[in-house]
Amino acid sequence: FLLQNDVYVATEVSHDTNRLYFHLETGETVQIEKYQDTLRRRVNQKGHEIYARNIHSFSLHSLPYGIIVSIETTKGGIYERTLITNKK
């Protein structure tokens, strides 16, 4: 799962209702968000790398030990992953 790699290199992980942020040692901020029907990765709010297509919804929920990432595709598939981190 691509997002776990960003968790490993982040010094801090945070999120709002529909964006996931990884703060890196370099001072850069990686942002994961739904954009149109894609899930994309941006660095310092510039450019974009497509992580997934045909995305209907993307949501995030806090846990004491990490973040639950939920994705629903345009075909109705639902995928959920828990990113383990003690960082907030």
Side-chain angles (χ1 to χ4, degrees):
F1 194 64
L2 296 172
L3 299 178
Q4 192 66 52
N5 294 332
D6 285 318
V7 170
Y8 292 143
V9 298
T11 58
E12 182 182 350
V13 179
S14 60
H15 72 90
D16 56 29
T17 55
N18 58 359
R19 287 187 185 92
L20 185 58
Y21 302 97
F22 301 103
H23 305 279
L24 308 180
E25 284 184 8
T26 60
E28 296 174 309
T29 300
V30 172
Q31 176 179 314
I32 307 295
E33 65 182 351
K34 182 180 178 299
Y35 175 71
Q36 298 176 352
D37 70 341
T38 65
L39 188 64
R40 73 177 179 180
R41 179 182 189 268
R42 302 182 79 196
V43 178
N44 293 334
Q45 299 185 353
K46 296 180 182 173
H48 80 188
E49 176 182 358
I50 302 298
Y51 270 9
R53 295 185 185 280
N54 302 317
I55 302 301
H56 175 70
S57 67
F58 172 66
S59 62
L60 304 158
H61 303 282
S62 292
L63 295 172
Y65 53 87
I67 300 169
I68 296 175
V69 178
S70 300
I71 296 172
E72 182 179 356
T73 67
T74 55
K75 293 185 178 183
I78 297 174
Y79 302 91
E80 194 170 271
R81 174 74 184 241
T82 301
L83 299 177
I84 305 299
T85 177
N86 291 324
K87 305 166 189 173
K88 293 188 180 198

Coordinates of all heavy atoms in Angstrom, one line a residue:
F1 N 0.9 -1.2 0.0 CA 0.0 0.0 0.0 C 0.9 1.2 0.0 O 1.7 1.4 0.9 CB -0.9 -0.1 1.2 CG -2.1 0.9 1.2 CD1 -3.0 0.8 0.2 CD2 -2.1 1.9 2.1 CE1 -4.1 1.7 0.2 CE2 -3.2 2.8 2.2 CZ -4.2 2.7 1.2
L2 N 0.8 2.1 -1.0 CA 1.7 3.2 -1.2 C 1.8 4.2 -0.1 O 2.8 4.7 0.2 CB 1.2 3.9 -2.5 CG 1.3 3.2 -3.8 CD1 0.7 4.0 -4.9 CD2 2.8 2.8 -4.1
L3 N 0.7 4.4 0.6 CA 0.7 5.4 1.7 C 1.6 5.0 2.9 O 2.1 5.9 3.5 CB -0.7 5.7 2.2 CG -1.7 6.2 1.2 CD1 -3.1 6.4 1.8 CD2 -1.2 7.5 0.6
Q4 N 1.7 3.7 3.1 CA 2.6 3.3 4.3 C 4.0 3.8 4.1 O 4.7 4.1 5.0 CB 2.5 1.8 4.4 CG 3.1 1.3 5.8 CD 2.3 1.8 7.0 OE1 1.1 1.6 7.0 NE2 3.0 2.4 7.9
N5 N 4.5 3.8 2.8 CA 5.9 4.3 2.6 C 6.0 5.7 3.0 O 7.1 6.1 3.6 CB 6.2 4.2 1.1 CG 6.3 2.7 0.6 OD1 6.6 1.8 1.4 ND2 6.0 2.5 -0.6
D6 N 5.1 6.6 2.8 CA 5.1 8.0 3.2 C 5.1 8.0 4.8 O 5.8 8.9 5.3 CB 4.0 8.8 2.6 CG 4.2 9.1 1.2 OD1 5.3 9.4 0.8 OD2 3.2 9.0 0.4
V7 N 4.4 7.2 5.4 CA 4.3 7.1 6.9 C 5.7 6.9 7.4 O 6.2 7.5 8.4 CB 3.4 6.1 7.4 CG1 3.5 5.9 8.9 CG2 1.9 6.5 7.1
Y8 N 6.5 5.9 6.8 CA 7.8 5.6 7.3 C 8.8 6.7 7.3 O 9.6 6.9 8.2 CB 8.4 4.4 6.6 CG 7.6 3.1 6.8 CD1 7.5 2.2 5.7 CD2 7.1 2.7 8.0 CE1 6.8 1.0 5.9 CE2 6.4 1.6 8.2 CZ 6.3 0.7 7.1 OH 5.6 -0.5 7.3
V9 N 8.7 7.6 6.3 CA 9.7 8.7 6.2 C 9.2 10.0 6.8 O 10.0 10.9 6.9 CB 10.1 8.9 4.7 CG1 10.7 7.6 4.1 CG2 8.9 9.3 3.8
A10 N 8.0 10.0 7.2 CA 7.4 11.3 7.8 C 7.9 11.5 9.2 O 8.0 10.6 10.0 CB 5.9 11.3 7.7
T11 N 8.1 12.8 9.5 CA 8.4 13.1 10.9 C 7.1 13.4 11.7 O 7.1 13.3 12.9 CB 9.3 14.4 11.0 OG1 8.7 15.4 10.3 CG2 10.7 14.1 10.4
E12 N 6.1 13.7 10.9 CA 4.7 14.0 11.5 C 3.7 13.6 10.5 O 3.9 13.8 9.3 CB 4.6 15.5 11.9 CG 3.3 15.8 12.5 CD 3.2 17.3 12.8 OE1 4.2 18.0 12.7 OE2 2.0 17.7 13.1
V13 N 2.6 13.0 10.9 CA 1.5 12.7 10.1 C 0.2 13.3 10.6 O 0.0 13.3 11.8 CB 1.2 11.1 10.0 CG1 0.1 10.8 9.1 CG2 2.5 10.4 9.5
S14 N -0.6 14.0 9.8 CA -1.8 14.6 10.2 C -2.8 14.5 9.1 O -2.5 14.1 8.0 CB -1.6 16.1 10.6 OG -1.1 16.8 9.4
H15 N -4.1 14.9 9.4 CA -5.1 14.9 8.4 C -6.3 15.8 8.8 O -6.4 16.2 10.0 CB -5.6 13.4 8.2 CG -6.4 12.9 9.3 ND1 -7.8 13.0 9.4 CD2 -6.1 12.2 10.4 CE1 -8.2 12.4 10.5 NE2 -7.2 11.9 11.1
D16 N -7.1 16.1 7.8 CA -8.4 16.7 8.0 C -9.4 15.8 7.5 O -9.1 14.6 7.3 CB -8.4 18.2 7.5 CG -8.1 18.2 6.0 OD1 -8.4 17.3 5.2 OD2 -7.7 19.3 5.5
T17 N -10.6 16.2 7.2 CA -11.6 15.2 6.8 C -11.3 14.5 5.4 O -11.7 13.4 5.2 CB -13.0 15.9 6.6 OG1 -12.9 17.0 5.8 CG2 -13.5 16.4 8.0
N18 N -10.6 15.2 4.5 CA -10.4 14.5 3.2 C -8.9 14.7 2.7 O -8.7 14.5 1.5 CB -11.4 15.0 2.2 CG -11.4 16.5 2.0 OD1 -10.6 17.2 2.7 ND2 -12.2 17.0 1.2
R19 N -8.0 15.1 3.5 CA -6.6 15.2 3.1 C -5.7 14.6 4.1 O -5.9 14.8 5.3 CB -6.2 16.7 2.9 CG -6.8 17.3 1.6 CD -6.3 18.7 1.4 NE -6.9 19.3 0.2 CZ -8.0 20.0 0.3 NH1 -8.6 20.3 1.5 NH2 -8.6 20.5 -0.8
L20 N -4.7 13.9 3.7 CA -3.7 13.3 4.5 C -2.4 14.0 4.3 O -2.0 14.3 3.2 CB -3.6 11.8 4.2 CG -2.7 10.9 5.0 CD1 -3.1 10.9 6.4 CD2 -2.8 9.5 4.4
Y21 N -1.7 14.4 5.4 CA -0.4 15.2 5.3 C 0.7 14.4 5.9 O 0.6 13.9 7.0 CB -0.6 16.5 6.0 CG -1.7 17.4 5.5 CD1 -2.9 17.4 6.1 CD2 -1.5 18.2 4.4 CE1 -4.0 18.2 5.7 CE2 -2.6 19.0 3.9 CZ -3.8 18.9 4.5 OH -4.8 19.7 4.1
F22 N 1.8 14.4 5.2 CA 3.1 13.8 5.7 C 4.1 14.9 5.7 O 4.4 15.5 4.7 CB 3.6 12.6 4.8 CG 2.6 11.5 4.7 CD1 1.8 11.4 3.6 CD2 2.4 10.6 5.7 CE1 0.9 10.4 3.4 CE2 1.5 9.6 5.6 CZ 0.7 9.5 4.4
H23 N 4.6 15.2 6.9 CA 5.6 16.3 7.0 C 7.0 15.6 7.1 O 7.2 14.7 7.9 CB 5.4 17.1 8.3 CG 4.0 17.6 8.3 ND1 3.6 18.8 7.6 CD2 2.8 17.2 8.9 CE1 2.3 19.0 7.8 NE2 1.8 18.0 8.6
L24 N 7.9 16.0 6.2 CA 9.2 15.3 6.0 C 10.3 16.1 6.6 O 10.2 17.3 6.9 CB 9.5 15.1 4.5 CG 8.3 14.5 3.7 CD1 8.8 14.4 2.2 CD2 8.0 13.1 4.2
E25 N 11.4 15.4 6.9 CA 12.6 16.0 7.5 C 13.1 17.2 6.6 O 13.7 18.1 7.1 CB 13.7 15.0 7.7 CG 13.4 14.1 8.9 CD 14.6 13.1 9.1 OE1 15.7 13.3 8.5 OE2 14.5 12.3 10.0
T26 N 12.9 17.1 5.3 CA 13.4 18.1 4.4 C 12.6 19.4 4.5 O 13.0 20.4 3.8 CB 13.2 17.6 3.0 OG1 11.9 17.3 2.7 CG2 14.1 16.3 2.7
G27 N 11.5 19.4 5.3 CA 10.7 20.6 5.4 C 9.5 20.5 4.4 O 8.6 21.4 4.4
E28 N 9.5 19.6 3.5 CA 8.4 19.4 2.5 C 7.2 18.8 3.2 O 7.3 18.1 4.2 CB 8.9 18.5 1.4 CG 10.0 19.1 0.6 CD 10.5 18.2 -0.5 OE1 10.8 17.0 -0.2 OE2 10.6 18.6 -1.7
T29 N 6.1 19.1 2.6 CA 4.8 18.5 3.1 C 4.2 17.7 1.9 O 3.9 18.3 0.9 CB 3.8 19.5 3.6 OG1 4.4 20.2 4.7 CG2 2.5 18.9 4.0
V30 N 4.0 16.5 2.1 CA 3.3 15.6 1.1 C 1.8 15.6 1.5 O 1.4 15.4 2.6 CB 3.9 14.2 1.1 CG1 3.1 13.3 0.2 CG2 5.3 14.2 0.7
Q31 N 1.0 15.8 0.5 CA -0.5 15.8 0.7 C -1.1 14.8 -0.2 O -0.8 14.7 -1.4 CB -1.0 17.2 0.3 CG -2.4 17.4 0.3 CD -2.8 18.9 -0.1 OE1 -2.1 19.8 0.3 NE2 -3.7 19.0 -1.0
I32 N -2.0 13.9 0.4 CA -2.7 12.9 -0.4 C -4.2 13.4 -0.3 O -4.7 13.7 0.7 CB -2.6 11.5 0.3 CG1 -1.2 11.1 0.5 CG2 -3.4 10.5 -0.5 CD1 -0.4 10.9 -0.8
E33 N -4.8 13.5 -1.5 CA -6.2 14.0 -1.6 C -6.9 13.4 -2.8 O -6.3 12.9 -3.7 CB -6.2 15.5 -1.7 CG -5.6 16.0 -3.0 CD -5.6 17.5 -3.0 OE1 -6.2 18.2 -2.2 OE2 -5.0 18.0 -4.0
K34 N -8.3 13.4 -2.7 CA -9.1 13.1 -3.8 C -9.2 14.3 -4.7 O -9.4 15.4 -4.2 CB -10.5 12.7 -3.3 CG -11.4 12.2 -4.5 CD -12.8 11.8 -4.0 CE -13.7 11.5 -5.1 NZ -14.0 12.5 -6.0
Y35 N -9.0 14.1 -6.0 CA -9.1 15.2 -7.0 C -9.9 14.6 -8.1 O -9.4 13.7 -8.8 CB -7.7 15.7 -7.4 CG -7.7 16.7 -8.5 CD1 -8.1 18.0 -8.2 CD2 -7.3 16.4 -9.8 CE1 -8.2 18.9 -9.2 CE2 -7.3 17.3 -10.8 CZ -7.7 18.6 -10.5 OH -7.8 19.5 -11.5
Q36 N -11.0 15.2 -8.4 CA -12.0 14.7 -9.4 C -12.2 13.2 -9.1 O -12.7 12.9 -8.0 CB -11.4 14.9 -10.8 CG -11.3 16.4 -11.1 CD -10.7 16.7 -12.4 OE1 -10.2 15.9 -13.1 NE2 -10.8 18.0 -12.8
D37 N -11.9 12.3 -10.0 CA -12.1 10.8 -9.7 C -10.8 10.1 -9.4 O -10.7 8.9 -9.6 CB -12.9 10.2 -10.8 CG -12.1 10.0 -12.1 OD1 -11.1 10.7 -12.2 OD2 -12.5 9.2 -12.9
T38 N -9.7 10.8 -9.0 CA -8.4 10.2 -8.7 C -8.0 10.5 -7.2 O -8.5 11.4 -6.6 CB -7.3 10.8 -9.6 OG1 -7.1 12.2 -9.3 CG2 -7.7 10.7 -11.1
L39 N -7.1 9.7 -6.8 CA -6.4 9.9 -5.5 C -5.0 10.3 -5.9 O -4.3 9.6 -6.7 CB -6.4 8.6 -4.7 CG -5.8 8.8 -3.3 CD1 -6.8 9.6 -2.5 CD2 -5.7 7.4 -2.7
R40 N -4.6 11.5 -5.5 CA -3.3 12.1 -5.9 C -2.4 12.4 -4.8 O -2.9 12.7 -3.7 CB -3.5 13.3 -6.9 CG -4.0 14.5 -6.2 CD -4.0 15.7 -7.1 NE -4.5 16.9 -6.5 CZ -4.6 18.1 -7.1 NH1 -4.4 18.1 -8.4 NH2 -5.0 19.1 -6.4
R41 N -1.1 12.5 -5.1 CA -0.1 12.9 -4.1 C 0.5 14.2 -4.7 O 0.9 14.3 -5.8 CB 1.0 11.8 -4.1 CG 2.1 12.1 -3.1 CD 3.1 10.9 -3.2 NE 4.1 11.0 -2.2 CZ 5.3 11.6 -2.4 NH1 5.6 12.2 -3.5 NH2 6.2 11.7 -1.4
R42 N 0.7 15.2 -3.8 CA 1.3 16.4 -4.1 C 2.4 16.7 -3.1 O 2.3 16.3 -1.9 CB 0.3 17.6 -4.1 CG -0.9 17.3 -5.1 CD -1.8 18.5 -5.1 NE -1.2 19.5 -5.9 CZ -1.6 20.8 -6.0 NH1 -2.6 21.2 -5.2 NH2 -1.1 21.6 -6.8
V43 N 3.4 17.5 -3.5 CA 4.5 17.9 -2.6 C 4.5 19.4 -2.6 O 4.6 20.0 -3.6 CB 5.8 17.3 -3.0 CG1 6.9 17.8 -2.1 CG2 5.8 15.8 -3.1
N44 N 4.3 19.9 -1.4 CA 4.2 21.4 -1.2 C 3.2 22.0 -2.1 O 3.4 23.1 -2.7 CB 5.6 22.0 -1.4 CG 6.6 21.7 -0.3 OD1 6.2 21.3 0.8 ND2 7.9 21.7 -0.7
Q45 N 2.1 21.4 -2.3 CA 0.9 21.8 -3.1 C 1.3 22.1 -4.5 O 0.7 22.9 -5.2 CB 0.3 23.1 -2.4 CG -0.2 22.8 -1.1 CD -1.0 24.0 -0.5 OE1 -1.0 25.1 -1.0 NE2 -1.6 23.8 0.7
K46 N 2.3 21.4 -5.0 CA 2.7 21.5 -6.4 C 2.7 20.2 -7.1 O 2.9 19.1 -6.5 CB 4.1 22.1 -6.5 CG 4.2 23.5 -6.0 CD 5.6 24.0 -6.0 CE 5.7 25.4 -5.4 NZ 7.0 25.9 -5.3
G47 N 2.4 20.2 -8.4 CA 2.4 19.0 -9.2 C 1.4 18.0 -8.7 O 0.6 18.3 -7.9
H48 N 1.5 16.8 -9.3 CA 0.7 15.7 -8.8 C 1.1 14.4 -9.4 O 1.4 14.3 -10.5 CB -0.8 16.0 -8.8 CG -1.5 15.8 -10.1 ND1 -2.8 16.1 -10.3 CD2 -1.2 15.2 -11.3 CE1 -3.2 15.8 -11.5 NE2 -2.3 15.3 -12.1
E49 N 1.0 13.4 -8.6 CA 1.2 12.0 -8.9 C 0.0 11.2 -8.7 O -0.6 11.3 -7.5 CB 2.4 11.4 -8.1 CG 2.7 10.0 -8.3 CD 3.8 9.5 -7.4 OE1 4.4 10.3 -6.6 OE2 4.1 8.3 -7.5
I50 N -0.6 10.5 -9.6 CA -1.8 9.8 -9.5 C -1.5 8.5 -8.8 O -0.7 7.7 -9.3 CB -2.5 9.5 -10.8 CG1 -2.8 10.9 -11.6 CG2 -3.8 8.7 -10.7 CD1 -3.7 11.8 -10.8
Y51 N -2.2 8.2 -7.6 CA -2.0 7.0 -6.9 C -3.1 6.0 -7.3 O -2.9 4.8 -7.3 CB -2.1 7.2 -5.4 CG -0.8 7.5 -4.7 CD1 0.4 7.7 -5.5 CD2 -0.7 7.5 -3.4 CE1 1.6 7.9 -4.8 CE2 0.5 7.7 -2.7 CZ 1.6 7.9 -3.5 OH 2.8 8.1 -2.8
A52 N -4.3 6.5 -7.7 CA -5.4 5.6 -8.0 C -6.5 6.4 -8.9 O -6.6 7.6 -8.7 CB -6.1 5.0 -6.8
R53 N -7.2 5.7 -9.7 CA -8.2 6.3 -10.5 C -9.6 5.7 -10.2 O -9.7 4.7 -9.5 CB -7.9 6.0 -12.0 CG -6.6 6.7 -12.5 CD -6.5 6.6 -14.0 NE -5.2 7.1 -14.4 CZ -4.9 8.4 -14.6 NH1 -5.9 9.3 -14.4 NH2 -3.8 8.8 -15.0
N54 N -10.6 6.3 -10.7 CA -12.0 5.8 -10.5 C -12.4 5.8 -9.0 O -13.0 4.8 -8.6 CB -12.2 4.4 -11.2 CG -11.9 4.5 -12.7 OD1 -12.3 5.4 -13.3 ND2 -11.2 3.5 -13.2
I55 N -12.0 6.8 -8.3 CA -12.3 7.0 -6.9 C -13.6 7.8 -6.7 O -13.7 8.9 -7.2 CB -11.2 7.6 -6.2 CG1 -9.9 6.9 -6.4 CG2 -11.5 7.8 -4.7 CD1 -9.9 5.4 -5.9
H56 N -14.5 7.2 -6.0 CA -15.8 7.9 -5.7 C -15.7 8.7 -4.4 O -16.1 9.8 -4.3 CB -16.9 6.9 -5.6 CG -18.2 7.5 -5.1 ND1 -18.9 8.4 -5.9 CD2 -18.9 7.5 -3.9 CE1 -20.0 8.8 -5.3 NE2 -20.0 8.3 -4.1
S57 N -15.1 8.1 -3.4 CA -14.9 8.8 -2.1 C -13.6 8.4 -1.4 O -13.1 7.3 -1.6 CB -16.1 8.6 -1.2 OG -16.2 7.2 -0.8
F58 N -13.1 9.3 -0.6 CA -11.9 9.1 0.2 C -12.1 9.7 1.5 O -12.4 10.9 1.6 CB -10.7 9.8 -0.6 CG -9.4 9.8 0.2 CD1 -8.7 8.7 0.4 CD2 -8.9 11.0 0.5 CE1 -7.5 8.7 1.1 CE2 -7.6 11.1 1.2 CZ -6.9 9.9 1.4
S59 N -11.9 8.9 2.6 CA -12.2 9.5 4.0 C -11.1 9.0 4.9 O -10.5 7.9 4.7 CB -13.6 9.1 4.5 OG -13.8 7.7 4.6
L60 N -10.9 9.7 6.0 CA -9.9 9.5 7.0 C -10.5 9.6 8.4 O -11.3 10.5 8.6 CB -8.8 10.5 6.8 CG -8.1 10.5 5.4 CD1 -7.5 11.9 5.2 CD2 -7.2 9.4 5.3
H61 N -10.1 8.7 9.3 CA -10.6 8.7 10.6 C -9.4 8.4 11.6 O -8.6 7.4 11.3 CB -11.7 7.6 10.8 CG -12.8 7.8 9.9 ND1 -13.8 8.8 10.1 CD2 -13.1 7.2 8.8 CE1 -14.6 8.7 9.1 NE2 -14.3 7.8 8.3
S62 N -9.3 9.2 12.6 CA -8.2 9.0 13.6 C -8.4 7.8 14.5 O -9.6 7.5 14.9 CB -8.1 10.2 14.5 OG -7.6 11.3 13.7
L63 N -7.3 7.2 14.9 CA -7.3 6.1 15.9 C -6.2 6.5 16.9 O -5.3 7.3 16.5 CB -6.9 4.8 15.3 CG -7.9 4.2 14.3 CD1 -7.3 2.9 13.7 CD2 -9.2 3.8 15.1
P64 N -6.2 6.0 18.1 CA -5.1 6.3 19.0 C -3.7 5.9 18.5 O -2.7 6.5 18.8 CB -5.4 5.5 20.3 CG -6.9 5.2 20.2 CD -7.2 5.2 18.7
Y65 N -3.6 5.0 17.6 CA -2.4 4.5 17.1 C -2.2 4.7 15.6 O -1.2 4.2 15.0 CB -2.2 3.0 17.4 CG -3.4 2.2 16.9 CD1 -3.5 1.7 15.6 CD2 -4.5 1.9 17.8 CE1 -4.6 1.0 15.2 CE2 -5.6 1.2 17.3 CZ -5.6 0.7 16.0 OH -6.7 0.1 15.6
G66 N -3.1 5.4 14.9 CA -2.9 5.6 13.5 C -4.1 6.3 12.9 O -4.9 7.0 13.5
I67 N -4.3 6.0 11.6 CA -5.4 6.6 10.8 C -6.0 5.5 9.9 O -5.3 4.7 9.2 CB -4.8 7.7 9.9 CG1 -4.2 8.8 10.7 CG2 -5.9 8.3 9.0 CD1 -3.4 9.8 9.9
I68 N -7.3 5.5 9.9 CA -8.0 4.6 9.0 C -8.3 5.3 7.7 O -8.9 6.4 7.7 CB -9.4 4.1 9.5 CG1 -9.2 3.3 10.8 CG2 -10.2 3.3 8.5 CD1 -10.4 2.9 11.5
V69 N -7.8 4.7 6.6 CA -8.1 5.3 5.2 C -9.1 4.5 4.6 O -9.0 3.2 4.4 CB -6.8 5.3 4.4 CG1 -7.0 5.8 3.0 CG2 -5.6 6.0 5.1
S70 N -10.2 5.1 4.1 CA -11.3 4.4 3.4 C -11.5 5.0 2.0 O -11.5 6.2 1.9 CB -12.6 4.5 4.2 OG -12.5 4.0 5.5
I71 N -11.5 4.1 1.0 CA -11.7 4.5 -0.4 C -12.8 3.7 -0.9 O -12.9 2.5 -0.8 CB -10.4 4.2 -1.2 CG1 -9.2 5.0 -0.6 CG2 -10.6 4.4 -2.6 CD1 -7.9 4.6 -1.2
E72 N -13.7 4.4 -1.6 CA -14.8 3.7 -2.4 C -14.6 4.0 -3.9 O -14.4 5.2 -4.2 CB -16.2 4.2 -1.9 CG -17.3 3.5 -2.7 CD -18.7 3.9 -2.2 OE1 -18.8 4.7 -1.3 OE2 -19.7 3.5 -2.9
T73 N -14.6 3.0 -4.7 CA -14.4 3.2 -6.1 C -15.7 3.6 -6.8 O -16.8 3.4 -6.2 CB -13.8 1.9 -6.8 OG1 -14.8 0.9 -6.8 CG2 -12.5 1.5 -6.1
T74 N -15.6 4.0 -8.0 CA -16.8 4.4 -8.8 C -17.7 3.1 -9.1 O -18.8 3.2 -9.4 CB -16.5 5.1 -10.1 OG1 -15.5 4.3 -10.9 CG2 -15.9 6.5 -9.8
K75 N -17.1 1.9 -9.0 CA -17.8 0.7 -9.3 C -18.4 0.1 -8.0 O -18.9 -1.0 -8.0 CB -16.9 -0.3 -10.0 CG -16.5 0.1 -11.4 CD -15.8 -1.0 -12.1 CE -15.5 -0.5 -13.5 NZ -14.8 -1.6 -14.3
G76 N -18.2 0.8 -6.9 CA -18.8 0.4 -5.6 C -17.9 -0.4 -4.7 O -18.3 -0.8 -3.6
G77 N -16.6 -0.7 -5.1 CA -15.7 -1.4 -4.3 C -15.3 -0.5 -3.1 O -15.1 0.7 -3.3
I78 N -15.2 -1.1 -1.9 CA -14.8 -0.4 -0.7 C -13.5 -1.0 -0.2 O -13.4 -2.2 0.0 CB -15.9 -0.4 0.3 CG1 -17.1 0.3 -0.2 CG2 -15.4 0.2 1.6 CD1 -18.3 0.2 0.7
Y79 N -12.5 -0.2 0.0 CA -11.2 -0.6 0.5 C -10.8 0.2 1.7 O -11.1 1.4 1.7 CB -10.1 -0.4 -0.6 CG -10.5 -1.2 -1.8 CD1 -11.2 -0.6 -2.8 CD2 -10.1 -2.5 -2.0 CE1 -11.6 -1.3 -4.0 CE2 -10.5 -3.2 -3.1 CZ -11.2 -2.6 -4.1 OH -11.6 -3.3 -5.2
E80 N -10.3 -0.5 2.7 CA -9.9 0.2 3.9 C -8.6 -0.3 4.4 O -8.3 -1.5 4.3 CB -11.0 -0.1 5.0 CG -10.9 0.8 6.2 CD -12.2 0.6 7.1 OE1 -13.2 1.3 6.9 OE2 -12.1 -0.2 8.0
R81 N -7.8 0.7 4.9 CA -6.5 0.3 5.4 C -6.2 1.2 6.7 O -6.5 2.3 6.7 CB -5.4 0.6 4.3 CG -4.0 0.4 4.7 CD -3.6 -1.0 4.8 NE -2.3 -1.2 5.3 CZ -1.3 -1.8 4.6 NH1 -1.6 -2.3 3.4 NH2 -0.1 -1.9 5.1
T82 N -5.5 0.6 7.6 CA -5.1 1.3 8.8 C -3.6 1.6 8.7 O -2.8 0.7 8.5 CB -5.4 0.5 10.1 OG1 -6.8 0.2 10.2 CG2 -5.0 1.3 11.3
L83 N -3.3 2.9 8.7 CA -1.9 3.3 8.7 C -1.4 3.4 10.1 O -2.0 4.2 10.9 CB -1.7 4.6 8.0 CG -2.2 4.7 6.5 CD1 -2.0 6.1 6.0 CD2 -1.3 3.7 5.7
I84 N -0.5 2.6 10.5 CA 0.0 2.6 11.9 C 1.0 3.7 12.1 O 2.1 3.7 11.4 CB 0.6 1.2 12.2 CG1 -0.4 0.1 11.9 CG2 1.1 1.2 13.7 CD1 -1.6 0.1 12.7
T85 N 0.7 4.5 13.0 CA 1.7 5.6 13.3 C 1.3 6.2 14.7 O 0.1 6.2 15.1 CB 1.6 6.8 12.3 OG1 2.5 7.8 12.8 CG2 0.3 7.3 12.1
N86 N 2.3 6.5 15.5 CA 2.0 7.2 16.7 C 2.2 8.7 16.5 O 2.1 9.5 17.5 CB 3.0 6.7 17.8 CG 2.7 5.3 18.2 OD1 1.5 4.9 18.2 ND2 3.7 4.5 18.5
K87 N 2.4 9.1 15.3 CA 2.6 10.5 15.0 C 1.3 11.2 14.7 O 0.4 10.6 14.2 CB 3.5 10.7 13.7 CG 4.8 10.0 13.8 CD 5.5 9.8 12.5 CE 6.7 8.9 12.6 NZ 7.2 8.6 11.3
K88 N 1.1 12.4 15.1 CA -0.1 13.1 14.9 C 0.1 14.4 14.1 O 1.1 14.9 14.0 CB -0.8 13.5 16.2 CG -1.2 12.3 17.0 CD -1.9 12.7 18.2 CE -2.3 11.4 18.9 NZ -3.4 11.5 19.8

